[in-house]
Amino acid sequence: MISLIDVKKTYTKNQMSTDVLKGINLTINQGDIVCIMGVSGSGKSTLLNIISGLLPLTSGEYYYKDKKLNTNNYNEMEQFRHNNIGIILQEFALIEDFSVYENIALPLRYQKNSSKFINNRTSTMIKKLGLEGKENYYPDELSGGQQQRVAIARALTKEPELIIADEPTGCLDEHNTHILLDIFKELNQQGITIIIATHDKVLSSICNKIFYLKNGLIKEVRGNQTLS
Ligand SMILES: Nc1ncnc2c1ncn2[C@@H]1O[C@H](COP(=O)(O)OP(=O)(O)OP(=O)(O)O)[C@@H](O)[C@H]1O
Ligand SMILES: [Mg+2]
C-alpha cells in the first residue's frame, strides 16, 4: 500500500541544514498496524508528515497503491489526504474558532455529505470518544486529553482507509488510552491500515510491525529490541 524508497528529508533554517531522514526504505501493507518508535527528535513526526502528504520529500520516491506521488504538488497532496487519510497530529491542530462538533464534522463537510449523514456520523464519534456534553465547547475550553479525543474523532469520522496517528495517547489517561486501543483494534479488524508514532508500550503491543528510527535510518524490530 505504501512504499518509501530511499527517502531523505533535510530541513534548512538560517542557512543551517539538518538531515533528519537519510535514506528511509519502508513498506507498509494494507491491513498492517504499524508502530514507529525512536527517541525525541529522531524524526518520527517528520516521517508521518511525509506519509500524510504534509511535507515534500527532499529526495527519494513515495508510492501509494503503486502510484508515484508528487509530494511537491500541494493541491494533489491535499486531495490525496482528503480522499484517503485520517490524521491525528501530535499538536492536535484543532480549529480554535470551531466548536467540538464542527471540528469533528469538518472532514465530512469537505466530502460534501448530506447533513443527515454528517449529524449521524459526528454524533456517533462524539459518543465513542466520551465527548457528550462538550459539543458546543471550543478547543481552548477543553482539557488536553479532551482536545486529543476531538482530534481522534475528527480523524476517524470519514472512515479513512489509512489512519496516521502521532503520539495519540500523549495526553490520555489509562481509561481513554484503552478506549483508543479498542477503537484501533476494531478498525484494523475491518481492514483499515494504521500507522502510529508512540513511546507507549501498551499501544505498540497491538501492532503487527514495529519500526525504530535512529540516526536518520529505520529498521524493523521486535517488541523487546526497541531500545537497542
Ligand atoms: N520545520 C522544521 N524546520 C527545521 N527543523 C525541523 C522542523 N521540523 C522538525 N525539525 C527538526 O527535525 C528533527 C526531528 O523532528 P521530529 O519532530 O520529526 O522528531 P520526533 O521524533 O517526532 O520527536 P518527538 O518524539 O519529540 O515528537 C528535530 O531535530 C527538529 O528540530
Ligand atoms: Mg514527534
Side-chain angles (χ1 to χ4, degrees):
M1 184 183 206
I2 288 170
S3 181
L4 297 182
I5 300 169
D6 200 22
V7 163
K8 296 183 182 161
K9 181 69 192 177
T10 301
Y11 291 110
T12 306
K13 192 177 164 66
N14 305 333
Q15 280 134 28
M16 275 266 296
S17 291
T18 320
D19 300 324
V20 177
L21 304 179
K22 298 180 183 168
I24 300 290
N25 291 294
L26 179 66
T27 302
I28 294 170
N29 299 316
Q30 191 146 9
D32 273 347
I33 176 160
V34 171
C35 177
I36 312 245
M37 303 188 94
V39 298
S40 178
S42 59
K44 301 180 297 298
S45 296
T46 301
L47 179 59
L48 291 196
N49 288 339
I50 281 176
I51 297 173
S52 310
L54 288 163
L55 272 183
L57 310 179
T58 303
S59 67
E61 289 166 26
Y62 178 4
Y63 290 87
Y64 190 85
K65 292 183 167 170
D66 299 326
K67 185 178 173 289
K68 186 171 169 178
L69 300 182
N70 179 4
T71 61
N72 287 306
N73 184 324
Y74 181 84
N75 291 336
E76 191 181 313
M77 296 314 286
E78 188 175 44
Q79 203 56 47
F80 164 71
R81 275 198 303 283
H82 284 163
N83 291 344
N84 304 300
I85 311 184
I87 307 174
I88 304 162
L89 290 173
Q90 189 165 10
E91 61 282 358
F92 312 147
L94 299 176
I95 299 179
E96 295 295 326
D97 298 338
F98 277 24
S99 67
V100 165
Y101 186 93
E102 282 307 324
N103 265 285
I104 296 173
L106 191 63
L108 298 173
R109 298 209 192 282
Y110 281 132
Q111 290 183 334
K112 306 210 183 340
N113 291 289
S114 73
S115 38
K116 189 173 170 211
F117 179 87
I118 293 175
N119 286 342
N120 282 342
R121 186 61 72 62
T122 304
S123 303
T124 304
M125 290 316 299
I126 283 172
K127 271 202 205 89
K128 231 179 182 165
L129 286 148
L131 291 163
E132 295 117 310
K134 299 289 181 195
E135 291 86 343
N136 298 320
Y137 281 54
Y138 288 85
D140 67 353
E141 299 167 333
L142 300 175
S143 72
Q146 288 165 345
Q147 289 180 41
Q148 189 149 36
R149 282 181 279 147
V150 175
I152 293 165
R154 181 182 58 181
L156 303 182
T157 33
K158 66 180 176 187
E159 300 194 332
E161 63 183 18
L162 172 65
I163 294 167
I164 294 180
D166 197 352
E167 309 271 4
T169 57
C171 292
L172 299 186
D173 59 17
E174 210 173 314
H175 173 69
N176 282 300
T177 296
H178 278 99
I179 290 176
L180 181 63
L181 233 67
D182 287 342
I183 292 174
F184 278 169
K185 278 197 246 175
E186 187 189 324
L187 290 169
N188 187 240
Q189 273 157 17
Q190 294 165 15
I192 291 172
T193 310
I194 305 177
I195 307 174
I196 311 163
T198 188
H199 297 282
D200 190 336
K201 286 272 191 299
V202 183
L203 201 51
S204 63
S205 70
I206 64 164
C207 294
N208 72 329
K209 285 183 184 164
I210 299 178
F211 292 95
Y212 196 69
L213 258 180
K214 191 177 173 183
N215 298 330
L217 298 173
I218 199 164
K219 66 172 182 178
E220 190 169 352
V221 293
R222 286 195 213 100
N224 300 334
Q225 289 183 293
T226 49
L227 295 177
S228 65

